């Protein structure tokens, strides 16, 4: 073939590519096909929860006085405000129900869009698939464009249908519209954050650390701003994408103008991501990885697993220490702030006891769910090592599958225990030194009691990875179900047998309830059995499964 003919054909191919949008449409269809189940399941879950939550609020608080009392009690509880936010108008129709649902929805959607953008950009580069795609007439910016469009469209679809769901559930139309748009705005904000993190990071693991740390930092800033809603520290809420969603205040003043902030942030961060993309090499980040030492003592699978997970664990640890310090430091303000009606309502939300005990049971429950998320993420790290081809190289050495999987399981089990223990110790120490503080062990033991449930969810994720590797997302599905049951089961009036589907429902809520060892031992033994079943499947199945 002559040079002129080749140049002519290549020029025609380039023109055709430009007419097709530089391959964006093809990559978008491919990304949607790969993640259609994950997106569909997550969005249907969010929509169903919002509809039934809105419908349940009418029966829970049939009279305006009941709703005002519930909202006032929620504002009086530092624990509820810490977790979900402050209600400005106690006569709000959505009230405590919409505040709690909004924060849960924000976090679910944030995790979803982070996963989508990472999967179709940095993960593709790390596995070499994007370099293969790049050999076709595909523009350099096409993968990032497709990922941002997919995550952005998912966020908008989630918000718009949520608007219709809560409106159909009986909440006012104007507030319902802003509720859905606020949810979409949070999703778009974290889409932009992840797009920038992809350009800065040198690998998918580091990108995940930055993106998920941004969610944690956003929650902490929002939490401080809500607790000190009537003080200058309230301005911290405006530094948080989660706070921006709350500042829209659906059913609570309807501040539609606050939607400008997440939209402007999304446009700015996506534009920055494309600028940064043009200044980095394929497969690399603007922040290069540090060179390793010439000599190392890392001679075991456990040491390698720790080295790969060390950064993410430190980020989790820092968030838990800050969370524990805030929880313990604010516990002294609980005295005399909750009336009898408020206590009854908060117990229905998952807390038990009175005053500080009620507060710390809610904190411990939330911390247990977070530690379970860490355990699931650590176990599923094995899947990314497998799909990237790294595991095949390791198994070519004398390393066995059992030792490899065991190293990650040990880190998941011990790491989750360290997280809740350090949070409990920090909160207990600050609580005992605050005015009206109680015993150190009372708070600390309440944080540890969730460990069997955490380990059971980690074991379920390992079983899914071992026996159904292509459905490894079932680990997150199990955790999501437990979050729904624990956080919203009472609000949605789930039957008693369904509420017992969560392992945490069977554990005593220390220090209020007496310690009973039977459920602790049974759940721990069940987790051990599931781990054994997982090892059988992991040793027998094909490797790798991509």
């Amino acid at each position: 073939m002559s040079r002129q003919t080749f140049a002519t054909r290549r020029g025609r191919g380039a023109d055709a590519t430009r007419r097709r949008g530089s391959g964006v449409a093809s990559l978008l269809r491919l990304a949607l096909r790969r993640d259609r189940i994950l997106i569909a399941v997550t969005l249907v879950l969010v929509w169903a929860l919002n509809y039934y939550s809105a419908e349940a609020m009418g029966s829970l608080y049939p009279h305006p006085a009941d709703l005002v009392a519930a909202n006032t009690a929620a504002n009086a509880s530092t624990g509820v405000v810490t977790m979900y936010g402050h209600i400005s108008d106690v006569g709000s129709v959505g009230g405590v129900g919409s505040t709690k649902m909004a924060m849960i929805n924000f976090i679910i959607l944030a995790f979803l869009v982070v996963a989508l953008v990472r999967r179709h950009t940095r993960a593709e580069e790390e596995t070499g698939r994007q370099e293969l795609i790049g050999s076709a007439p595909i523009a350099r910016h096409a993968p990032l464009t497709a990922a941002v469009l997919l995550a952005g469209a998912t966020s908008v679809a989630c918000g718009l249908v949520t608007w219709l769901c809560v409106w159909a559930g009986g909440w006012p139309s104007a507030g319902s519209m802003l509720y859905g748009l606020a949810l979409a705005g949070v999703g778009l904000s974290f889409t932009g954050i992840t797009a920038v993190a992809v350009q800065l990071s040198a690998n998918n693991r580091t990108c995940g650390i930055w993106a998920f740390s941004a969610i944690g930092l956003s929650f902490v800033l929002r939490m401080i701003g809500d607790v000190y809603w009537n003080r200058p520290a309230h301005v911290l809420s405006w530094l948080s994408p989660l706070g921006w969603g709350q500042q829209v205040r659906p059913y609570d003043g309807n501040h539609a103008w606050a939607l400008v902030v997440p939209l402007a942030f999304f446009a700015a961060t996506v534009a920055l991501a494309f600028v940064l993309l043009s200044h980095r090499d394929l497969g690399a980040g603007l922040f290069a990885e540090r060179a390793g030492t010439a000599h190392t003592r890392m001679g075991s699978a456990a040491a390698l697993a720790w080295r790969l997970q060390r950064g993410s664990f430190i980020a989790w640890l820092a968030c838990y220490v800050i969370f524990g310090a805030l929880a313990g430091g604010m516990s002294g303000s609980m005295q005399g702030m909750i009336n009898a009606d408020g206590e009854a309502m908060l117990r229905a939300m998952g807390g038990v006891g009175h005053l500080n005990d009620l507060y710390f049971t809610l904190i411990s429950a939330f911390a247990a769910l977070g530690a379970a998320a860490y355990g699931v993420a650590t176990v599923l790290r094995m899947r990314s090592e497998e799909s990237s081809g790294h595991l095949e190289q390791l198994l070519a050495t004398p390393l066995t599958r059992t030792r490899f999987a065991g190293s990650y399981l040990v880190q998941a089990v011990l790491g989750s225990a360290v997280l809740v223990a350090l949070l409990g110790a920090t909160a207990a120490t600050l609580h005992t030194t605050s005015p009206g503080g109680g015993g150190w062990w009372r708070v600390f033991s309440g944080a540890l009691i969730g460990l069997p449930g955490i380990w059971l969810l980690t074991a379920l994720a390992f079983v899914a990875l071992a026996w159904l590797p292509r459905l490894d997302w079932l680990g997150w599905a199990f955790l999501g179900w437990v979050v729904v049951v624990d956080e919203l089961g009472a609000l949605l009036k789930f039957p008693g047998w369904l509420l017992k589907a969560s392992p945490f429902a069977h554990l005593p809520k220390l220090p209020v309830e007496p310690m009973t060892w039977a459920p602790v031992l049974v759940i721990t033994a069940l987790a051990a059995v599931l781990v054994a079943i997982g090892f059988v499947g992991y040793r027998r199945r094909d490797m790798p499964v991509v």
Side-chain angles (χ1 to χ4, degrees):
M1 181 185 298
S2 67
R3 291 184 180 180
Q4 182 177 4
T5 303
F6 177 78
T8 301
R9 292 186 177 180
R10 188 174 67 172
R12 292 173 180 172
D15 292 339
T17 299
R18 282 191 290 270
R19 288 194 299 269
R20 293 194 301 267
S22 302
V24 172
S26 300
L27 291 179
L28 182 58
R29 288 193 299 270
L30 175 62
L32 182 59
R33 178 175 176 78
R34 292 176 63 190
D35 285 328
R36 64 190 185 280
I37 297 178
L38 174 64
I39 294 173
V41 170
T42 304
L43 294 189
V44 169
L45 175 64
V46 169
W47 296 333
L49 289 177
N50 278 278
Y51 171 75
Y52 287 111
S53 178
E55 188 180 45
M57 285 294 292
S59 58
L60 283 174
Y61 310 109
H63 303 294
D66 298 330
L67 186 60
V68 170
N71 293 339
T72 302
N75 278 342
S77 170
T78 308
V80 174
V81 174
T82 298
M83 294 298 100
Y84 309 112
H86 176 79
I87 303 170
S88 300
D89 179 11
V90 294
S92 167
V93 174
V96 64
S98 65
T99 301
K100 187 171 185 177
M101 280 302 307
M103 186 51 57
I104 294 174
N105 291 336
F106 290 165
I107 294 176
I108 290 176
L109 185 57
F111 272 82
L112 177 61
V113 297
V114 168
L116 292 177
V117 175
R118 286 176 63 207
R119 176 181 174 89
H120 299 293
T121 52
R122 175 54 63 188
E124 293 294 279
E125 292 186 37
E126 193 166 306
T127 57
R129 285 192 289 262
Q130 188 162 320
E131 186 174 7
L132 179 63
I133 292 175
S135 63
I138 299 292
R140 179 185 171 98
H141 68 269
L144 178 60
T145 303
V148 169
L149 287 176
L150 178 63
T154 300
S155 301
V156 173
C158 184
L160 292 179
V161 180
T162 297
W163 161 20
L164 299 177
C165 288
V166 293
W167 178 55
W171 285 350
S173 59
S176 299
M177 178 183 67
L178 293 180
Y179 182 84
L181 294 179
L183 178 59
V186 171
L188 291 175
S189 297
F190 283 103
T191 296
I193 289 174
T194 311
V196 173
V198 166
Q199 314 313 317
L200 298 178
S201 57
N203 54 61
N204 194 37
R205 184 180 68 256
T206 305
C207 177
I209 292 174
W210 287 355
F212 291 120
S213 296
I215 298 177
L217 178 61
S218 178
F219 186 87
V220 170
L221 292 174
R222 191 265 337 144
M223 178 175 66
I224 299 174
D226 281 334
V227 170
Y228 298 103
W229 63 273
N230 56 350
R231 302 180 188 179
H234 175 62
V235 72
L236 292 178
S237 293
W238 287 99
L239 302 178
S240 163
L242 297 177
W244 300 337
Q246 285 189 325
Q247 295 304 323
V248 177
R249 289 175 54 181
Y251 318 106
D252 194 17
N254 293 341
H255 292 174
W257 54 267
L259 291 169
V260 174
V261 179
L263 292 176
F265 182 79
F266 170 71
T269 49
V270 170
L272 176 61
F274 280 106
V275 172
L276 297 178
L277 175 63
S278 64
H279 289 81
R280 71 174 181 89
D281 294 331
L282 181 66
L286 291 178
F287 294 160
E289 287 187 293
R290 293 185 304 169
T293 58
H295 303 282
T296 180
R297 297 179 180 178
M298 187 171 59
S300 66
L304 177 61
W306 164 246
R307 178 65 181 85
L308 293 175
Q309 296 285 96
R310 182 177 62 187
S312 62
F313 178 74
I314 292 174
W316 277 90
L317 199 64
C319 290
Y320 265 63
V321 170
I322 294 172
F323 188 33
L326 292 172
M330 294 185 298
S331 62
S333 63
M334 298 294 295
Q335 296 292 337
M337 295 181 66
I338 304 178
N339 56 25
D341 293 336
E343 290 183 18
M345 185 270 295
L346 296 176
R347 281 194 294 272
M349 296 172 62
V352 296
H354 302 280
L355 300 177
N356 284 323
D357 288 339
L358 172 63
Y359 170 65
F360 280 117
T361 53
L362 289 173
I363 295 294
S364 298
F366 194 82
L369 293 174
Y374 168 79
V376 172
T378 301
V379 167
L380 294 185
R381 171 70 188 180
M382 289 188 287
R383 178 61 177 156
S384 64
E385 291 295 296
E386 178 182 350
S387 59
S388 64
H390 297 160
L391 180 56
E392 285 185 280
Q393 301 176 35
L394 292 174
L395 295 180
T397 69
L399 176 66
T400 64
R401 296 188 186 188
T402 301
R403 287 172 54 199
F404 174 78
S407 64
Y408 279 88
L409 282 170
V410 168
Q411 185 170 324
V413 169
L414 295 182
S416 58
V418 170
L419 290 178
V420 294
L422 195 56
L423 179 141
T426 305
T429 301
L430 291 178
H431 174 58
T432 54
T433 58
S434 64
W440 189 90
W441 179 254
R442 285 175 58 82
V443 177
F444 182 70
S445 62
L448 293 182
I449 196 60
L451 281 175
I454 296 170
W455 294 336
L456 180 62
L457 291 172
T458 302
L460 285 171
F462 179 52
V463 170
L465 170 71
W467 289 92
L468 301 169
R470 290 192 176 91
L471 301 178
D472 57 336
W473 53 266
L474 286 174
W476 290 115
F478 295 142
L479 176 60
W481 171 249
V482 171
V483 171
V484 170
V485 171
D486 286 353
E487 296 295 314
L488 300 172
L491 180 63
L492 300 180
K493 295 184 176 181
F494 285 176
W497 64 268
L498 196 55
L499 293 176
K500 293 295 184 180
S502 167
F504 300 108
H506 301 274
L507 298 172
K509 293 185 180 295
L510 299 180
V512 179
E513 299 176 353
M515 179 62 188
T516 53
W517 285 102
V520 173
L521 296 177
V522 169
I523 294 176
T524 303
L526 180 58
V529 171
L530 289 174
V531 167
I533 294 174
F535 273 118
V536 172
Y538 198 72
R539 293 179 60 184
R540 295 179 60 182
R541 73 171 173 87
D542 293 336
M543 192 74 69
V545 175
V546 296

